[in-house]
Amino acid sequence: MTLTSLPVARPVAPASSLADSAAGRSADSLDNAQARQLLKALGDPLRLQVIEALAGGERCVCDLTADLGLAQSKLSFHLRVLKEAGLLEGREQGRWIYYRLQPEAITALQQWLGRLNAQCQRPASPCCD
């Protein structure tokens, strides 16, 4: 069984266009390349900690730095990767930036994984003798 039955992957879009389309992304429009981009962003243990820290809602960078025990420069790098993948949104207030998860991106990835799961449940075709 191959993944060829999933929607055909288009060339990987630049990270900025993935982030720009995250808010308007529907689950059906998530292609294999975009799924890979999201999974790659989630593949780092520190970035997963950031995602988990933001699961409770919007957080200030200063709070994330303290809670995760990371230098601000290191945290900023990981936040940028997650934001470029479309998983986070940031807003400035005064001298601080507040980040929150983009639920649309998470839903799109969840539904892409659901389609993958449904396809992997199919039995194999009979082999030739």
Side-chain angles (χ1 to χ4, degrees), residues 91-110:
R91 70 172 177 87
E92 291 185 41
Q93 182 174 338
R95 61 181 276 225
W96 297 109
I97 300 176
Y98 292 79
Y99 286 94
R100 65 184 171 108
L101 295 176
Q102 287 286 79
E104 299 87 0
I106 296 167
T107 299
L109 182 59
Q110 182 180 27

Side-chain angles (χ1 to χ4, degrees), residues 124-128:
S125 301
C127 291
C128 303

Side-chain angles (χ1 to χ4, degrees), residues 44-57:
D44 183 272
L46 289 176
R47 289 195 284 270
L48 276 180
Q49 287 180 356
V50 171
I51 294 292
E52 290 169 352
L54 292 171

Side-chain angles (χ1 to χ4, degrees), residues 69-81:
L70 297 173
Q72 188 168 354
S73 60
K74 189 170 193 170
L75 177 61
S76 292
F77 168 78
H78 291 292
L79 288 169
R80 180 176 50 83
V81 170

